[in-house]
Amino acid sequence: MSWFRALKATARAGLAVERPKLEPFVALRGAAGLALVVGVSLALFGPLVAVSSAFGAFQAAIATFQRSWRPRPTLALASGATLAVSTFLGYLTGAHILLFLALLVVWTFAAGMAWSAGPTTGIIASSNVAIMLVTVTLPTSVAQAAGHAAVILAGGVVQAALVVLVPIRRWGAQRDALADALAAVADYARRLRHDPLALFDPAPLMTARSAAAVSRRQARRRPAELHGARGLAERIRPVLASLADPAVGVPPDGPQRARVDELLAAAATVLDTAARAVRHGRPAPVPAGALAALRTPDTGAVLTGPARRAAVRLAALLDDVVEAATPTDRGEVGDAGVTDDVRQRPTLLQLAPGALRRARGELRPASPVFRHAVRVSAVTAVGYAIGVLLPLGHGYWAPMAAVMAMRPDFTQTYGRSVARFCGTLVGVAVATGVVQGAHPGPWGSAALAVVCAFGMYLLMRTGYVAAQACVAAYVVFLLGTGGQEWTQTVPERVVLTLLGGVLAMVSYAVYPAWETPRLRTRLADWLAADGRYAACVAAHYAHPRDRPPAEVREALLGTRDARVAWQDTLERAAHEPVRHRGLSRAAATDAEHALGQFGRVAMLMEAHLPDRHTTPLPVAADLAEELRRATEQGAKAVRERRTPRWDALRASVAGWDRESVPDPVVRNGARLLVAALEELSEALADGDRPPAEDPAPPLSPSAAPRR
């Protein structure tokens, strides 16, 4: 993709406006906390303290909107505390340009490395640097600096207290995550009726698993309907796939297929009903027709073998889903609900050692996080120096715009830079017109700032450009509260915001961290993870047990993580202005389909794992070892830009017959696994050859055809 096309695509992405479900009451709560803090500060301490307290409350409320499963009060307190520390250190050095510049470089580099701990931590750290650049211009002494830091912390405490005192849709995010997982499995059941080989995107199940991790205190208060349903959805998915698949289920046509289609439709209806019950927290009656279809006694007469076992198991699992997802009168579980299988969410202090280890692991030149930290610290320092030297005043606008726009990947950095400038123009124009027409005083400006903050909280999910327009107006009104006229902020804000955006974009072009060259590494990681999962499943047939060993579950989670890493890299590489470097978009699409089928077959084999009374299958142990060895060697070949070969695995499976491998699931599954690996090799063989006309990077998952 050329630079012109890349800039056009990223600009379009940055200016896009989505239509998510708005949360006006949550936005109103955040704006009310801001109004309370600003009003009290303005009445008791004056405009300058009110401006500092407003930044603290404003940022703490933004932290509560981040996509995190951690309790909202914790996020607000963490944001307020870290912002207070940042601004206090900035206050102490603000009078000495060189000392403050050194602190700014160190603090910004640390904020850039904070992305290694996750996007929520990275966003809060970046916001702390941006706000520090503004607030250090307010006080003039150490005592005042301590006072301003204290009111910033108080702003975070107020927002945290409001979340506790005014709960809105308690456990709403967790309810949505679980409901989305159940709805995704329901949609999968419907798609299997038309495409028995349909693939399933495990992202909703992964999100629900992340949402299910709670502290011991939360576990005692979690609603009963949030227990158990996710695990049932995980177990239902392979049963649905095994029921529909022609290789281990029923033939493509005939009365058995008609019965399976009826069961799939009934399962989708039951799962959708359970999703509605979980999402809204109230019982949803299951249609009688769906229950009758699942419980009809003629299933055993129509279906036989593995298909019959899958149908019986599906009906039992769906009964459990209805029971688990239906809200009860008690609403919350007591101490008896705290069991050893609760996924524990560590506290922030418990996370600190692991976060430091991850940050140390990213301290290498090839790391995207390290390169982002270097870029953002250099751009912030250069932008601040240019802002100080230019005769515009308020030079912090340039570094503030840069640090808020920059992200570790190309698409977000360029898209946000364009969106920030356009949003700033709109916000400043509107705020300027209001100021010139109404001439509000400190109290009027404070009220207008709160209104803009409410708009920002409300529109945060719609896109960066809409939120940035509200932020631009908010800052103009807030500085007006401190006595600064609009003529002192508007011209330099527009010019310096443009300068900051340009610096951010130039820095990525000079010191990039392209995702396109990493595609083969991500694909190899996915192949190796899939191979470990299939090998663990095959080994269970050789050594049957009551329950699948823990390594099967761990291997499955590993394949999901590897698949998500591949898809994230593919999406980020979609608009990069670089060549494919050995993996064209057609090869990437075909390779993704092949590995998806490989994982699907391994999942089908897991759905029919034998119990301990089943006769061991010695040949399965050889299959497990061969799968592990072949996929590890294949992953190495993919990384080295060679086409993997599967001669030994193919020869081993080709010699099987009905007598040596009586289990049809293992026999057919092994052949399907080999077929998927050969499809992968064909895709990569095409990708190794330089294409005549294919300079574009791989398609993003959203642009790939649905299967």
Side-chain angles (χ1 to χ4, degrees):
M1 180 179 289
S2 65
W3 271 96
F4 177 77
R5 291 176 59 192
L7 292 174
K8 182 179 178 181
T10 53
R12 186 184 296 113
L15 297 177
V17 177
E18 301 178 3
R19 299 180 62 183
K21 180 182 178 181
L22 301 180
E23 297 180 316
F25 293 108
V26 179
L28 183 61
R29 182 181 62 191
L34 176 63
L36 177 63
V37 170
V38 173
V40 172
S41 300
L42 190 58
L44 298 180
F45 306 108
L48 291 182
V49 175
V51 172
S52 286
S53 65
F55 278 117
F58 179 73
Q59 173 61 19
I62 291 178
T64 64
F65 282 87
Q66 298 305 314
R67 301 182 186 277
S68 173
W69 305 115
R70 199 162 292 281
R72 306 291 124 180
T74 302
L75 294 177
L77 290 174
S79 174
T82 55
L83 180 58
V85 172
S86 299
T87 51
F88 180 71
L89 293 177
Y91 290 150
L92 295 181
T93 59
H96 308 281
I97 297 298
L98 294 180
L99 186 59
F100 177 73
L101 197 59
L103 172 68
L104 184 62
V105 170
V106 173
W107 215 245
T108 308
F109 182 83
M113 293 301 299
W115 284 89
S116 62
T120 298
T121 304
I123 290 172
I124 292 176
S126 300
S127 300
N128 288 347
V129 173
I131 294 176
M132 180 183 70
L133 289 166
V134 179
T135 54
V136 294
T137 62
L138 300 177
T140 58
S141 67
V142 175
Q144 287 179 322
H148 282 260
V151 297
I152 287 175
L153 177 60
V157 172
V158 169
Q159 293 288 11
L162 281 179
V163 173
V164 175
L165 297 175
V166 189
I168 298 174
R169 198 170 177 248
R170 195 189 299 269
W171 295 94
Q174 285 81 0
R175 288 185 179 277
D176 288 340
L178 179 55
D180 290 343
L182 293 170
V185 179
D187 177 70
Y188 182 55
R190 292 192 182 91
R191 289 191 291 115
L192 286 173
R193 298 181 65 199
H194 308 286
D195 180 11
L197 304 181
L199 297 178
F200 179 81
D201 185 0
L205 292 177
M206 297 176 67
T207 303
R209 185 174 187 272
S210 299
V214 293
S215 64
R216 301 287 292 186
R217 180 175 179 273
Q218 287 179 308
R220 290 191 292 269
R221 292 164 172 79
R222 182 167 52 175
E225 57 269 24
L226 297 184
H227 285 262
R230 179 189 60 84
L232 293 170
E234 294 262 14
R235 293 160 60 189
I236 287 173
R237 181 176 71 101
V239 175
L240 293 173
S242 65
L243 192 63
D245 191 275
V248 297
V250 298
D253 300 300
Q256 294 188 65
R257 174 58 59 178
R259 178 64 183 135
V260 164
D261 288 345
E262 185 180 4
L263 291 174
L264 292 174
T269 301
V270 172
L271 289 167
D272 276 336
T273 302
R276 287 194 298 271
V278 169
R279 193 183 303 276
H280 301 295
R282 56 178 180 268
V286 181
L291 293 177
L294 291 168
R295 297 170 180 171
T296 181
D298 66 348
T299 298
V302 177
L303 302 180
T304 59
R308 180 180 180 278
R309 293 196 302 270
V312 173
R313 188 179 181 195
L314 176 63
L317 289 172
L318 290 174
D319 283 339
D320 292 340
V321 166
V322 173
E323 181 180 356
T326 301
T328 60
D329 293 336
R330 54 198 177 99
E332 296 180 350
V333 296
D335 292 340
V338 185
T339 58
D340 293 336
D341 62 351
V342 171
R343 296 190 63 240
Q344 293 294 318
R345 184 177 299 282
T347 64
L348 292 179
L349 293 178
Q350 291 173 334
L351 286 175
L356 291 176
R357 285 194 298 270
R358 286 193 294 273
R360 285 198 299 267
E362 296 291 343
L363 289 174
R364 47 190 175 84
S367 167
V369 174
F370 175 79
R371 296 174 80 89
H372 167 69
V374 172
R375 279 195 306 270
V376 72
S377 56
V379 167
T380 303
V382 172
Y384 187 82
I386 293 176
V388 171
L389 295 176
L390 289 177
L392 296 176
H394 303 284
Y396 50 78
W397 292 126
M400 185 175 69
V403 75
M404 291 302 296
M406 296 180 71
R407 292 293 184 267
D409 61 285
F410 166 83
T411 301
Q412 287 197 64
T413 296
Y414 276 61
R416 290 171 66 91
S417 297
V418 174
R420 186 171 184 87
F421 179 70
C422 295
T424 298
L425 288 180
V426 174
V428 166
V430 173
T432 300
V434 172
V435 170
Q436 285 185 308
H439 300 287
W443 285 95
S445 296
L448 290 171
V450 171
V451 172
C452 292
F454 170 77
M456 192 271 184
Y457 299 148
L458 184 65
L459 302 177
M460 188 182 299
R461 303 292 188 201
T462 64
Y464 190 65
V465 63
Q468 182 54 40
C470 296
V471 171
Y474 167 79
V475 174
V476 171
F477 289 132
L478 191 62
L479 294 181
T481 304
Q484 299 188 36
E485 299 293 335
W486 71 271
T487 54
Q488 293 179 288
T489 61
V490 173
E492 59 264 29
R493 177 166 174 77
V494 172
V495 173
L496 292 174
T497 298
L498 177 61
L499 174 62
V502 171
L503 287 175
M505 298 168 76
V506 170
S507 69
Y508 207 105
V510 173
Y511 191 56
W514 304 124
E515 295 290 339
T516 301
R518 297 184 177 88
L519 283 173
R520 279 186 167 268
T521 300
R522 294 288 182 263
L523 188 66
D525 293 341
W526 187 11
L527 171 60
D530 265 4
R532 287 191 293 271
Y533 172 49
C536 287
V537 171
H540 188 82
Y541 283 88
H543 307 285
R545 307 178 190 176
D546 280 337
R547 298 178 60 186
E551 53 264 28
V552 173
R553 177 63 177 168
E554 294 174 0
L556 174 61
L557 296 178
T559 64
R560 292 179 178 177
D561 291 338
R563 176 175 179 171
V564 169
W566 156 261
Q567 291 177 335
D568 287 346
T569 301
L570 195 63
E571 186 174 7
R572 292 172 181 172
H575 302 304
E576 290 182 347
V578 293
R579 295 184 63 86
H580 61 78
R581 301 190 185 183
L583 194 62
S584 66
R585 59 181 178 180
T589 300
D590 293 342
E592 180 177 1
H593 180 266
L595 283 184
Q597 291 294 347
F598 185 91
R600 185 188 66 84
V601 175
M603 179 192 66
L604 294 179
M605 296 176 66
E606 184 189 359
H608 293 279
L609 287 179
D611 56 33
R612 64 175 180 175
H613 301 294
T614 306
T615 303
L617 194 62
V619 71
D622 298 334
L623 174 64
E625 183 60 31
E626 188 62 35
L627 279 171
R628 186 177 286 107
R629 185 192 63 80
T631 51
E632 288 177 355
Q633 293 180 353
K636 180 180 179 181
V638 172
R639 292 188 183 95
E640 297 174 353
R641 297 186 61 176
R642 295 183 289 108
T643 302
R645 303 183 63 84
W646 319 103
D647 297 335
L649 178 62
R650 185 191 308 110
S652 176
V653 174
W656 288 3
D657 53 31
R658 189 177 298 273
E659 287 72 24
S660 61
V661 186
D663 192 321
V665 174
V666 176
R667 187 172 61 251
N668 296 333
R671 291 168 181 169
L672 292 174
L673 290 174
V674 173
L677 292 175
E678 290 178 340
E679 181 183 348
L680 173 66
S681 295
E682 292 175 2
L684 294 177
D686 293 336
D688 285 337
R689 292 190 291 268
E693 296 180 2
D694 189 15
L699 288 172
S700 66
S702 59
R706 290 182 62 87
R707 292 181 292 272

